[in-house]
Amino acid sequence: VISIRDSWVRLRTLTSAEYEELFRTEVAWHAGAGWRFAGRTPSYSEYVASLYADSIATLGVCRLDGSLLGVVIAYEPDHRSGTVWIAVMSTRQAKGSGLVLVGLGHLITELFTNWSFRVVLAESAAPAYEQFRSGMRRSFREQGRLEAHRFSDGAYHDVVYLAIEREAWMAGDGQRYLRRRAEANRAVLPPAGGSAPPARPFTVTVHR
Amino acid sequence: VVPIYDERVSPYLRGIESRDVPFLYFLVAEYPESWPRLCDKGPSTPQQFEFKLHDGVLAQFLVEVEVNGERIPIGLVGLHRADHLSGVVWVESVGLPGDHHEAVRDRALADLIDRAFSAWRFRRVCGTHHGFERPVFANVGDVPVREEVRLENVFLHEGMYWDRVFSVITREDWLGRQETVAR
């Protein structure tokens, strides 16, 4: 069990009540035909199982008061080659705040600190990638894009493939950028309790 | 032991039956890198293997050749990870190594790609291979193959890190191609 906490967010295991919240978020009518299930509406049990499919870490990203902002997942580890894939999902309220990406940054640090992975891989629909690419060039290396590969919101979008290498990430640029971005977006999501969170260094706790 | 046969022979494609599983299990055991869908997550028991063989598959066929009046299996071609929303499907082609086996399997793969674009409404047929392997669309006809993604140094094989490549054939390119594969 991994638990990570800083002055912005907390990463912890999901509760069963949160499965329902996530299911409602991802399978809602207004969410459109989600790409994860290629437009299908999965059963609730299939949905919950998908959060853990070939996963080594499925963590809720929460505000300090415990309310859920999103989920980060590390999946399909290849321990022989030292690679693992990551995924991120935000609740409707947290979209645009950048806080879930701060949580994702913690997960990446965890994967390079307490696991022996060399490279973290990610795929992202191009519209989502465009929102954070400018600040991430030093940490995320684009590996190509599958062109017009995913249909959503009435259009075909590219799918971008990214690699994050241990040395680049641990140099700190990526993590710093994610925090700056969240700070710039503070107005989107007021901090828990209605006031600015106290500044303190983040801590990582790993219970095995 | 697979007899030598004329590499110009036409492949026979048929559905997977229980009696074919030992041959396919042999392919996984002998050439695991060539079948990432079944091997990336480590070894399987025969029972797990039979389940994974069909998991996520849209269509797959055993590739056989006729030698001295007898049909012998040389590999498998299949479509999996079908995304009908986006019109995308992935192919796999695995089998015995050797130029003559690969030449016949390429013709089977070309037939399967043809079916992907004619029996379904897919826009893109995608394939993946490692840097040390022969590209999956190496010889399926005179058609542009777009290498769109190259994940650099992500697969350890015989002491070296190799790229993993994603390649694509589009519907427009396939339907407009000049067929060059010998029939």
Side-chain angles (χ1 to χ4, degrees):
Chain A
V1 178
I2 301 168
S3 169
I4 302 171
R5 184 186 180 95
D6 76 356
S7 56
W8 295 87
V9 294
R10 188 176 152 209
L11 274 67
R12 57 158 174 75
T13 50
L14 293 164
T15 66
S16 51
E18 287 165 345
Y19 296 151
E20 293 173 16
E21 186 179 343
L22 290 166
F23 181 74
R24 283 196 296 269
T25 299
E26 199 171 359
V27 188
W29 175 256
H30 56 69
W35 63 267
R36 276 212 312 137
F37 297 94
R40 284 191 307 114
T41 48
S43 69
Y44 177 69
S45 59
E46 182 187 358
Y47 178 81
V48 173
S50 76
L51 295 172
Y52 294 90
D54 206 9
S55 156
I56 57 167
T58 298
L59 298 169
V61 181
C62 310
R63 300 206 303 196
L64 296 184
D65 67 0
S67 55
L68 189 68
L69 297 166
V71 179
V72 291
I73 302 174
Y75 67 101
E76 282 189 22
D78 179 347
H79 298 288
R80 193 174 69 164
S81 301
T83 63
V84 65
W85 291 78
I86 54 169
V88 61
M89 181 170 39
S90 296
T91 60
R92 281 185 78 199
Q93 302 91 308
K95 277 197 190 337
S97 72
L99 285 175
V100 181
L101 289 180
V102 172
L104 183 67
H106 284 315
L107 178 66
I108 297 168
T109 303
E110 163 74 9
L111 293 169
F112 287 137
T113 307
N114 290 310
W115 298 78
S116 60
F117 294 114
R118 306 161 38 244
V119 182
V120 171
L121 298 163
E123 61 171 33
S124 171
Y129 174 57
E130 298 304 327
Q131 293 173 18
F132 63 88
R133 67 180 294 188
S134 61
M136 298 302 289
R137 285 196 183 123
R138 281 192 216 169
S139 300
F140 285 32
R141 211 154 40 80
E142 197 174 317
Q143 306 278 282
R145 48 179 69 205
L146 293 173
E147 294 170 13
H149 191 77
R150 187 174 294 163
F151 187 80
S152 65
D153 295 328
Y156 289 103
H157 301 286
D158 292 354
V159 175
V160 185
Y161 283 78
L162 304 165
I164 307 156
E165 288 170 352
R166 169 190 288 273
E167 292 72 23
W169 183 261
M170 297 310 271
D173 292 334
Q175 187 79 307
R176 276 196 293 275
Y177 166 74
L178 291 175
R179 293 182 69 81
R180 279 201 306 276
R181 187 175 181 280
E183 190 155 10
N185 289 340
R186 270 163 89 166
V188 176
L189 185 74
S195 59
R200 60 183 171 216
F202 83 85
T203 56
V204 179
T205 314
V206 182
H207 308 284
R208 298 195 193 282
Chain B
V1 177
V2 179
I4 299 299
Y5 55 87
D6 186 335
E7 66 183 30
R8 290 169 299 181
V9 301
S10 293
Y12 293 91
L13 278 74
R14 64 166 174 82
I16 310 294
E17 300 171 19
S18 298
R19 64 189 164 105
D20 305 319
V21 173
F23 167 70
L24 297 169
Y25 194 68
F26 162 80
L27 288 180
V28 163
E30 287 294 312
Y31 315 107
E33 289 83 7
S34 66
W35 209 345
R37 181 172 69 84
L38 272 77
C39 300
D40 272 4
K41 299 180 180 73
S44 307
T45 65
Q47 292 74 23
Q48 291 168 331
F49 172 80
E50 197 161 355
F51 171 78
K52 285 160 72 174
L53 180 62
H54 298 283
D55 189 30
V57 167
L58 176 67
Q60 63 184 357
F61 300 94
L62 195 76
V63 181
E64 293 181 319
V65 291
E66 192 166 293
V67 180
N68 298 329
E70 185 188 357
R71 289 189 185 174
I72 56 168
I74 62 161
L76 171 147
V77 292
L79 300 172
H80 65 112
R81 287 175 62 191
D83 179 348
H84 297 286
L85 178 70
S86 302
V88 172
V89 71
W90 292 74
V91 298
E92 59 189 5
S93 171
V94 295
L96 299 172
D99 289 346
H100 54 304
H101 297 316
E102 286 167 354
V104 174
R105 214 170 70 233
D106 283 342
R107 286 200 287 282
L109 182 60
D111 287 345
L112 186 68
I113 296 168
D114 224 25
R115 179 167 292 189
F117 287 128
S118 59
W120 286 280
R121 295 162 55 88
F122 292 117
R123 302 163 42 246
R124 291 158 60 82
V125 170
C126 310
T128 181
H129 68 275
H130 299 111
F132 58 89
E133 293 172 320
R134 189 169 158 273
V136 64
F137 297 130
N139 190 25
V140 293
D142 186 13
V143 60
V145 177
R146 305 163 190 232
E147 181 188 307
E148 294 190 341
V149 176
R150 180 173 282 268
L151 302 175
E152 295 171 8
N153 301 320
V154 296
F155 191 81
L156 183 64
H157 174 69
E158 299 200 345
M160 288 178 63
Y161 288 106
W162 297 85
D163 298 347
R164 186 160 183 180
V165 179
F166 298 164
S167 306
V168 178
I169 294 175
T170 66
R171 181 183 194 85
E172 294 73 28
D173 287 342
W174 183 262
L175 297 180
R177 77 196 189 284
Q178 293 295 312
E179 181 74 73
T180 59
V181 179
R183 297 276 172 187

